[in-house]
């Protein structure tokens, strides 16, 4: 008896380790997402000076990655359904490797923009494939924590990019200074992206295909082998039968599958809403413009850079909190707590910025304790985002859609997320001109609306197998004597 129990435990231990490994490899796409998002911060001024560009063309060059990411997110689902999840990851890794070299060695602002766009396509595709692959490969009891790897990888990527930019600029004496091999430091900031791209490429070539995809294309023996490695032999036959049952009445995925009487299926609208609200609360304002923001309200450049690093570190810690709690407390409670916390902290920032006296540049100058309160509020806001909307949205997008529409629906939702990211990021400088209090007031309103959105339309998915997600598309029926 003892040896039999030990054997089962050993198999379960190996299976769990295998699942964690393949989820970690898939999540490297999230690391590239975060790295590419943040690496431009340290280079943008030097890029502008090198190419003698500013205004609109520089803005397009910087934001072209976001436009490419929206495209990559849309096409990733179709590519994943046609070629498989792993081959799509490999394609994304190759594209990202090429763009890293292209941007780092670009000759004009135009090819710089093209390579940034191409890299955005790779990042957008990876941002869709990673949560879908993890959701399809992880057991239900681990899926939330493993799905959170995507957001953890994103925030670690942001942190590493900021540290890399800082280290390169420090070693070279400035981003515009000539450094190794006669290249200016800003080029090396982009060339360093080749390292995680290569790691992603090698890792993607080592992990198995999604078992659900393998069943869908009739490779049952291969699917069984993968399932044995991640679930153990005892559960394989039942799981394959369950997957086959959900696929029996389905046809080849089509975009038309997402349509309904009111444009799209309700569950797709929910996914889009989650994606858009994740950006409308203004999180990327903190990461794209934090140094400029803190300098504008009275902190020195050195202090602003230190605050940015602290904020990035806070984001990593809080994502770890989400990983530890998401399968215990569920997705919906974390989103509600996060929305409420963000509403309070953003409201505090809106009040402080809106009531502060203006300096000679027309920007609010936080005086006395107000600067400390604003700093605490900003990092507390990041805490609430990091333990809720950051990782939980990616987990939900990976698991909330039925098998038949998962790849296409996730791609559409991720595309809308990138578009919302683009809109929030590009409108902040203009909103800042009207007043930081006004800008943060809008983000506060978005946090408030996100609370009621989750409360009324988001369904809990904790502990559910992916094959049971079909009934999430159906409207909730009120229990007798109770209004839902």
């Amino acid at each position: 008896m003892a040896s039999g129990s030990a054997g089962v435990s050993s198999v379960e231990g190996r299976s769990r380790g295998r699942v964690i490994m393949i989820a970690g490899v898939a999540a490297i796409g999230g690391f590239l997402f975060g790295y590419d998002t943040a690496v431009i911060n340290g280079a943008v001024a030097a890029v502008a000076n090198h190419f003698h560009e500013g205004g609109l063309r520089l803005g397009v060059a910087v934001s072209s990655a976001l436009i490419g990411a929206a495209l990559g997110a849309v096409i990733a689902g179709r590519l994943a359904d046609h070629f498989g999840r792993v081959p799509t990851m490999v394609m994304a890794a190759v594209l990202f490797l090429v763009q890293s070299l292209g941007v780092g060695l670009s000759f004009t602002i135009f090819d710089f923009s093209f390579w940034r766009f191409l890299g955005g396509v790779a990042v957008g595709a990876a941002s869709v494939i990673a949560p879908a692959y993890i959701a399809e490969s992880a057991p239900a009891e681990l899926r939330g924590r493993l799905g959170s790897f995507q957001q953890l990888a994103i925030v670690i990527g942001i942190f590493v990019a900021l540290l890399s930019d800082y280290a390169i600029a420090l070693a070279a004496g400035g981003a515009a200074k000539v450094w190794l091999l006669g290249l200016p430091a800003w080029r090396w900031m982009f060339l360093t992206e080749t390292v995680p791209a290569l790691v992603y490429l090698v890792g993607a070539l080592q992990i198995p295909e999604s078992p659900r995809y393998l069943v869908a294309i009739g490779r049952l023996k291969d699917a069984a082998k993968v399932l044995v490695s991640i679930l153990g032999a005892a559960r394989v036959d039942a799981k394959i039968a369950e997957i086959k049952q959900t696929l029996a009445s389905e046809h080849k995925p089509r975009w038309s599958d997402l349509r309904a009487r009111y444009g799209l299926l309700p569950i797709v609208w929910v996914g889009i809403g989650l994606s858009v609200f994740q950006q409308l609360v203004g999180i990327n304002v903190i990461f794209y413009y934090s140094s400029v923001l803190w300098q504008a309200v009275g902190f020195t450049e050195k202090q602003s850079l230190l605050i940015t690093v602290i904020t990035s570190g806070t984001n990593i810690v809080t994502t770890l909190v989400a990983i530890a709690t998401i399968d215990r407390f569920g997705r919906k409670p974390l989103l509600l707590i996060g929305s409420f916390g963000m509403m309070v902290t953003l409201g505090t920032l809106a009040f402080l910025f809106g009531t502060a006296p203006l300096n000679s540049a027309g920007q609010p100058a936080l005086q006395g304790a107000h600067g400390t309160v604003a700093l605490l509020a900003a990092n507390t806001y990041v805490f609430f985002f990091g333990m809720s909307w950051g990782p939980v949205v990616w987990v939900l997008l990976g698991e909330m859609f039925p098998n038949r529409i998962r790849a296409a629906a996730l791609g559409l939702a991720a595309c809308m997320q990138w578009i919302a990211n683009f809109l929030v990021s590009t409108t902040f400088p203009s909103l800042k001109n009207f007043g930081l209090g006004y800008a943060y007031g809008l983000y506060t309103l978005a946090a408030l609306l996100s609370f009621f959105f989750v409360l009324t339309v988001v369904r809990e998915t904790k502990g559910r197998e992916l094959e049971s997600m079909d009934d999430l598309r159906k409207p909730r029926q009120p229990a007798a004597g109770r209004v839902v």
Side-chain angles (χ1 to χ4, degrees):
M1 180 69 69
S3 65
S5 298
V8 172
S9 176
S10 175
V11 169
E12 289 179 348
R14 291 198 301 271
S15 298
R16 180 172 295 229
R18 175 71 168 165
V19 171
I20 292 173
M21 185 275 290
I22 63 177
V25 170
I28 296 174
F31 182 93
L32 296 176
F33 175 173
Y35 200 103
D36 195 61
T37 294
V39 74
I40 190 68
N41 284 348
V44 64
V47 169
N49 289 332
H50 180 86
F51 292 121
H52 306 293
E53 293 288 353
L56 180 61
R57 287 205 293 200
L58 179 64
V60 170
V62 172
S63 61
S64 57
L66 298 177
I67 300 171
L71 175 62
V74 168
I75 66 175
R78 187 170 291 274
L79 290 174
D81 285 332
H82 185 73
F83 296 107
R85 278 54 169 156
V86 170
T88 305
M89 288 187 211
V90 171
M91 284 187 274
V94 171
L95 278 180
F96 199 86
L97 180 62
V98 171
Q99 79 88 34
S100 302
L101 295 171
V103 173
L105 302 175
S106 55
F107 297 102
T108 69
I109 196 67
F110 299 106
D111 66 305
F112 178 92
S113 302
F114 170 78
W115 296 119
R116 287 277 295 165
F117 173 83
L118 190 67
V121 173
V123 169
S127 72
V128 169
I129 297 306
Y133 176 84
I134 293 171
E136 292 180 350
S137 301
E141 65 271 17
L142 293 177
R143 197 174 58 237
R145 278 169 284 177
L146 296 180
S148 299
F149 278 15
Q150 167 84 346
Q151 181 65 16
L152 178 62
I154 291 172
V155 297
I156 291 175
I158 292 172
F159 183 74
V160 172
L162 292 172
L163 286 180
S164 175
D165 281 0
Y166 177 76
I168 291 172
L170 187 66
K177 300 293 185 180
V178 174
W179 195 40
L180 299 178
L181 302 179
L183 296 175
W186 69 264
R187 292 189 182 275
W188 283 105
M189 292 178 181
F190 293 108
L191 290 172
T192 58
E193 293 182 275
T194 58
V195 176
L198 283 170
V199 172
Y200 187 40
L201 175 60
V202 172
L205 292 172
Q206 305 303 313
I207 59 176
E209 183 54 85
S210 157
R212 285 174 176 82
Y213 174 77
L214 292 172
V215 173
I217 63 173
R219 291 170 55 185
L220 300 185
K221 289 184 178 180
D222 291 333
K225 290 179 182 178
V226 176
L227 287 169
V228 166
S229 72
I230 62 179
L231 295 178
R235 301 168 59 183
V236 170
D237 290 341
K239 174 54 67 176
I240 288 181
E242 191 177 3
I243 295 172
K244 287 174 68 176
Q245 184 177 359
T246 65
L247 295 171
S249 61
E250 297 176 0
H251 53 74
K252 188 176 180 180
R254 299 188 301 254
W255 284 109
S256 59
D257 292 334
L258 307 184
R259 293 204 296 264
R261 177 181 298 180
Y262 301 108
L264 296 171
L265 292 169
I267 192 68
V268 178
W269 283 119
V270 173
I272 290 173
L274 286 168
S275 291
V276 171
F277 273 121
Q278 189 198 53
Q279 298 302 314
L280 292 185
V281 296
I283 186 62
N284 282 314
V285 167
I286 295 291
F287 291 112
Y288 292 170
Y289 298 103
S290 56
S291 295
V292 175
L293 172 63
W294 293 118
Q295 289 180 64
V297 297
F299 290 93
T300 67
E301 180 180 4
K302 185 176 180 179
Q303 289 171 332
S304 298
L305 290 172
L306 179 59
I307 291 170
T308 299
V309 173
I310 292 172
T311 301
S312 181
T314 300
N315 207 12
I316 293 175
V317 172
T318 54
T319 303
L320 291 173
V321 172
I323 291 174
T325 59
I326 190 170
D327 283 321
R328 182 182 307 168
F329 299 135
R331 287 63 161 150
K332 188 168 181 175
L334 289 181
L335 288 177
L336 290 172
I337 293 169
S339 291
F340 182 80
M342 289 190 297
M343 180 183 65
V344 172
T345 50
L346 286 168
T348 300
L349 289 169
F351 173 78
L352 291 173
F353 291 145
T355 58
L358 302 181
N359 58 23
S360 58
Q363 296 295 335
L366 301 180
Q367 299 177 336
H370 285 187
T372 302
V373 173
L375 181 58
L376 288 173
N379 280 281
T380 306
Y381 158 71
V382 171
F383 172 86
F384 279 111
F385 179 88
M387 56 79 65
S388 61
W389 280 82
V392 174
V393 167
W394 287 112
V395 171
L396 280 171
L397 291 180
E399 68 186 9
M400 66 187 288
F401 302 116
N403 281 338
R404 179 170 58 88
I405 66 169
R406 180 173 297 112
L410 206 164
L412 179 60
C415 173
M416 296 306 297
Q417 184 178 126
W418 285 105
I419 291 173
N421 184 343
F422 176 79
L423 292 175
V424 171
S425 302
T426 54
T427 57
F428 176 72
S430 298
L431 289 174
K432 186 164 68 74
N433 293 334
F434 286 101
L436 284 172
Y438 176 72
Y440 277 85
L442 289 178
Y443 305 145
T444 304
L445 176 61
L448 174 63
L449 293 176
S450 74
F451 181 90
F452 289 104
F453 176 80
V454 173
L455 189 66
T456 55
V457 304
V458 173
R459 307 283 296 278
E460 183 58 70
T461 57
K462 182 184 75 169
R464 299 173 64 105
E465 293 290 348
L466 295 188
E467 284 67 45
S468 69
M469 295 298 177
D470 258 334
D471 62 351
L472 290 182
R473 289 181 295 170
K474 303 170 185 176
R476 286 177 289 182
Q477 298 299 321
R482 180 170 65 89
V483 176
V484 178

